[in-house]
Amino acid sequence: MGSNSLFGVHGAALQVRSQRMGVLASNIANASTPGFKAKDIDFREALNAIETPGMAGTDPISGATKYRVPLQPSLDGNTVELATEQTAFAENAVAYQTTLAFLNGRIDTLKRALKGE
């Protein structure tokens, strides 16, 4: 899935953004769960791990998943700060859609080239 593939870094970026969306959604869903520890994926670290040769058989995204440090810890031990999570989710969703639109454009270009248009 390296940058030399047909879709370059964008295929890997879509994979990381998709998994990050799941992590952020889990944080939001557990905002009221006592003791829940919010996590996030370090996008750059995950992408670099995916792009690194020889990473076959490893999960680069789990290695880039970190616990979030809250600005104001809660008394029940939950580290989810809803505004932070919602903002991160919205930003990630926009980036996901942008990457997906780029890939769709690339696929359309390849289809036209194959058809000789």
Side-chain angles (χ1 to χ4, degrees):
M1 241 205 227
S3 57
N4 292 330
S5 72
L6 183 60
F7 299 113
V9 71
H10 300 287
L14 195 66
Q15 176 187 355
V16 173
R17 292 195 193 290
S18 174
Q19 290 205 6
R20 184 171 185 235
M21 201 166 303
V23 169
L24 296 172
S26 175
N27 290 346
I28 292 169
N30 286 288
S32 299
T33 304
F36 183 82
K37 306 297 182 203
K39 298 179 206 170
D40 198 357
I41 293 175
D42 182 322
F43 179 80
R44 187 176 311 260
E45 185 178 329
L47 195 59
N48 285 340
I50 289 172
E51 294 278 301
T52 302
M55 291 296 291
T58 64
D59 183 4
I61 294 178
S62 69
T65 302
K66 313 289 184 204
Y67 286 103
R68 193 183 300 282
V69 178
L71 297 174
Q72 295 182 328
S74 66
L75 295 176
D76 67 1
N78 185 306
T79 62
V80 175
E81 293 175 320
L82 199 52
T84 300
E85 302 304 328
Q86 289 172 328
T87 300
F89 187 89
E91 289 173 349
N92 190 67
V94 168
Y96 179 90
Q97 288 297 325
T98 302
T99 303
L100 192 57
F102 177 84
L103 287 171
N104 281 332
R106 179 80 173 133
I107 290 168
D108 287 344
T109 300
L110 291 171
K111 283 181 187 177
R112 285 194 318 268
L114 290 171
K115 289 179 182 178
E117 295 177 3

